[in-house]
């Protein structure tokens, strides 16, 4: 049983409302890259803030212990979540690479 008359869909076949929602691969790559960069910077800032608060506590500055612990836990959780996302992305990449063309 053969399948006939299957044609590739060109962007010109879409209605104007669908055409404007199409994103070029290069634009998607830049957008995704910016998203990843921003996310990693946020994780880094959380780690830096945790380090600063810990140093303040160690130096005897007027800072509450519970604030230091909360900041430390937030930094740890964001780092853990980032690592889990990275692991899932690596797994997805490996699955795609195992696909037979």
């Amino acid at each position: 049983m053969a399948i006939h008359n299957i044609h590739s869909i060109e962007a010109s076949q879409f209605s104007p409302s669908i055409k404007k929602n199409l994103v070029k691969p290069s634009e998607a790559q830049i957008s995704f890259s910016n998203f990843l960069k921003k996310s990693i910077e946020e994780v880094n800032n959380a780690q830096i803030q945790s380090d600063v608060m810990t140093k303040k506590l160690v130096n005897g500055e007027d800072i509450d212990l519970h604030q230091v612990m909360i900041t430390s836990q937030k930094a740890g959780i964001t780092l853990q979540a980032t690592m889990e996302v990275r692991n899932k992305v690596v797994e997805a990449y490996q699955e795609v690479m195992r696909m037979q063309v």
Side-chain angles (χ1 to χ4, degrees):
M1 202 188 312
I3 299 175
H4 301 286
N5 297 328
I6 295 179
H7 303 284
S8 65
I9 298 175
E10 299 292 326
S12 61
Q13 295 174 335
F14 292 120
S15 68
S17 63
I18 294 177
K19 281 185 187 179
K20 66 181 177 184
N21 291 333
L22 293 177
V23 178
K24 294 179 183 175
S26 61
E27 293 171 353
Q29 182 179 3
I30 291 170
S31 175
F32 184 68
S33 173
N34 290 338
F35 172 75
L36 283 178
K37 184 177 178 182
K38 182 182 172 196
S39 298
I40 291 172
E41 285 174 358
E42 288 176 7
V43 171
N44 187 42
N45 289 338
Q47 293 290 326
I48 290 171
Q49 185 179 10
S50 174
D51 289 344
V52 166
M53 292 189 76
T54 302
K55 285 179 185 178
K56 285 182 180 181
L57 181 69
V58 169
N59 291 334
E61 294 182 28
D62 187 26
I63 191 165
D64 294 329
L65 177 61
H66 69 276
Q67 287 296 92
V68 175
M69 294 305 296
I70 289 170
T71 305
S72 175
Q73 288 298 312
K74 282 182 182 179
I77 289 170
T78 56
L79 181 63
Q80 230 174 6
T82 302
M83 294 304 295
E84 288 300 321
V85 169
R86 180 198 62 98
N87 292 342
K88 290 296 180 182
V89 169
V90 169
E91 286 177 23
Y93 174 77
Q94 289 172 343
E95 284 296 318
V96 168
M97 294 309 292
R98 279 192 280 247
M99 287 182 181
Q100 299 219 354
V101 180

